[in-house]
Amino acid sequence: MDDREIVAAIVAGDLAGLAGAYDQYAESLYGYCHWMLNEPADAADAVQDTFVVAAGRLGGLSDPRRLHPWLYAVARNECYRRLRGTAVGPDEAADAPGDAGDDPDRAELRRRVRSALSGLAPDEREALELELRHDLHGADLAAVLGVSRNQAHVLVVRTRGQLEKDLGAVLVARTGRRACRALDMLLIDWDGRLTAVMRKRIRRHADQCEVCDNRRRSTLRNAALFGMAPLAVLPGWLREDMLRLCSDYSHLTLAYRQEVTLRAEPFGPNGFPRAIRPARRRALALTRIAAAAGIVIAVVSAGIIAVLALSGSRAPHALDAVRSSGRSVTGSAPADPTGSAGAPASAPPTTSQPATTGQGPATVPTPAATTAKPSPSHSATTSAPAAPKPSPSHSPTPTPTATTPTPTPTPTPTPTGTTPTPTETPPNPF
């Protein structure tokens, strides 16, 4: 049965379709799930639930020829659901034992390959696993990973480039001397150790030699497969259990199948399930978002602090300028901010009018009255030094302070011109 016949049989409710799909894909699906979960029981449950979802939702697949990647997309989501809340994830068994019959050179090559595989990012290792061992490429690989085709291509190219960088010199040095005379002359005194200098020389030669470059690319796949841990063996009892589960119509079995099918949603327009984002990538994305937000908050806070610092450093200068201008006009102590003490100083004849009118004493309680009100100028009133001494500006008799309203402290003829003004005021009451 091909994929279209299998899909048609499964949609029609024929168990032969499920049996055909299991016989064709269950072994590789179990190996993939075991690689993802590192636990045989969890891998068996993931494969079984994958075929349960196939029995209930395979009718929505727009292209029946894509049964292979569809099963992997469902199995991948089942694995990531079981990985939720755990710190582990898909990882290459770098410490898996090698073959007992490996010679020292093969053992060393296997160790180097596994070391290079362990240095890949999780998404790079998964893409390599799906492409090399499960024959998923292009649009099929993108559908399984839940990314665009361009993103899948970039991921594969980046993974291969990293492996070529780490393993290219080893593969060319150990397998290409007979095919390339120049490489053989380069390694004529080589002791077998790949130091940083020797690795650089071999890589530079392979970049310029077409024969060695082709060998480096052609042997990379076999070397990666050689270093990967072998696929886990599919349990023999799983097929019978899966077929019994999908053919049983008891209340509990139907409820379980319905729960598994609903859990697999949502599905896209092409019938593929929406890919679950790995937990580690989601946590990394949240960490990056939090770090970016922290940087933005720090920058904004620094800007606010700088503005406050600059405004606070200019405020005393502006206040000093206002106070100095007030002193230059009145020629006396700092004036009352309410304006009651500044008026007599600017107009001395007004202060020489009869004191019996009560205007002089009425202006004395002004500071106290303004202090009692919770007005916006309360802070300025309490901080003015001239408020407790209003008597010199409100006395009816001319005082020596009123005769010196000069704006400059130097004795100039201007104050003498202003002195006749207070001396002519006394005859007015008579």
Side-chain angles (χ1 to χ4, degrees):
M1 300 175 68
D2 59 10
D3 286 352
R4 289 178 294 183
E5 295 174 345
I6 291 175
V7 171
I10 293 176
V11 172
D14 187 359
L15 281 181
L18 282 175
Y22 184 93
D23 294 338
Q24 189 165 346
Y25 298 113
E27 185 175 2
S28 58
L29 280 173
Y30 179 80
Y32 171 69
C33 293
H34 190 279
W35 177 83
M36 289 277 287
L37 301 172
N38 296 318
E39 184 64 36
D42 292 341
D45 290 342
V47 172
Q48 180 176 265
D49 289 349
T50 297
F51 285 99
V52 169
V53 175
R57 295 304 303 264
L58 198 54
L61 181 61
S62 59
D63 187 359
R65 294 172 298 179
R66 303 186 69 188
L67 174 63
H68 179 211
W70 189 91
L71 290 173
Y72 272 89
V74 175
R76 182 178 184 270
N77 282 355
E78 292 295 329
C79 291
Y80 275 117
R81 286 191 185 93
R82 287 163 173 78
L83 288 174
R84 282 177 174 174
T86 62
V88 298
D91 196 3
E92 186 66 34
D95 54 349
D99 295 337
D102 281 351
D103 56 22
D105 290 341
R106 289 176 59 86
E108 175 66 16
L109 179 60
R110 190 186 299 273
R111 186 189 66 80
R112 288 184 178 274
V113 172
R114 289 179 176 174
S115 177
L117 293 176
S118 63
L120 297 175
D123 55 346
E124 295 173 340
R125 278 178 287 172
E126 186 179 9
L128 189 68
E129 175 79 11
L130 291 172
E131 186 193 28
L132 292 186
R133 289 213 287 199
H134 302 281
D135 199 26
L136 290 166
H137 311 278
D140 291 342
L141 178 62
V144 174
L145 297 177
V147 298
S148 66
R149 187 167 184 173
N150 290 336
Q151 290 176 319
H153 176 73
V154 170
L155 182 61
V156 171
V157 171
R158 185 179 66 196
T159 304
R160 287 182 175 272
Q162 184 64 33
L163 287 179
E164 287 181 4
K165 179 181 177 182
D166 295 338
L167 299 175
V170 179
L171 299 177
V172 171
R174 296 191 180 279
T175 63
R177 297 184 66 172
R178 294 182 179 179
C180 181
R181 178 66 177 173
L183 178 65
D184 185 60
M185 294 298 297
L186 179 64
L187 302 176
I188 192 171
D189 295 329
W190 183 42
D191 57 358
R193 295 182 302 172
L194 278 175
T195 61
V197 176
M198 183 57 66
R199 188 187 299 267
K200 186 176 180 180
R201 290 177 181 175
I202 297 173
R203 186 183 301 119
R204 186 186 300 115
H205 168 77
D207 292 340
Q208 300 173 356
C209 178
E210 184 178 358
V211 175
C212 293
D213 182 59
N214 292 334
R215 176 171 293 275
R216 179 174 57 182
R217 295 177 182 276
S218 61
T219 56
L220 183 63
R221 172 187 171 87
N222 294 333
L225 290 173
F226 174 73
M228 290 179 176
L231 288 176
V233 179
L234 178 67
W237 52 264
L238 185 58
R239 184 179 189 272
E240 183 178 355
D241 285 3
M242 184 274 298
L243 292 176
R244 185 186 302 112
L245 179 64
C246 293
S247 60
D248 186 8
Y249 289 94
S250 63
H251 177 71
L252 292 178
T253 304
L254 285 175
Y256 176 78
R257 294 209 304 261
Q258 183 179 9
E259 178 186 355
V260 172
T261 304
L262 291 176
R263 188 182 62 192
E265 296 181 352
F267 287 78
N270 58 354
F272 278 77
R274 301 289 186 184
I276 295 178
R277 192 175 184 183
R280 261 192 282 184
R281 295 182 208 169
R282 182 168 58 251
L284 180 61
L286 292 176
T287 303
R288 291 177 178 175
I289 292 174
I295 294 174
V296 171
I297 293 173
V299 171
V300 173
S301 301
I304 294 175
I305 293 173
V307 170
L308 293 177
L310 291 176
S311 61
S313 62
R314 287 195 294 264
H317 296 289
L319 185 59
D320 293 341
V322 172
R323 289 178 178 175
S324 62
S325 63
R327 292 194 191 99
S328 64
V329 173
T330 59
S332 59
D336 187 2
T338 59
S340 60
S346 61
T350 307
T351 59
S352 62
Q353 291 179 358
T356 57
T357 60
Q359 295 178 358
T363 59
V364 176
T366 303
T370 55
T371 306
K373 291 182 179 180
S375 61
S377 61
H378 174 68
S379 59
T381 305
T382 55
S383 61
K389 297 189 293 183
S391 56
S393 60
H394 294 287
S395 59
T397 58
T399 59
T401 58
T403 59
T404 59
T406 58
T408 57
T410 58
T412 59
T414 32
T416 58
T418 58
T419 50
T421 304
T423 56
E424 294 176 0
T425 53
N428 289 332
F430 296 97

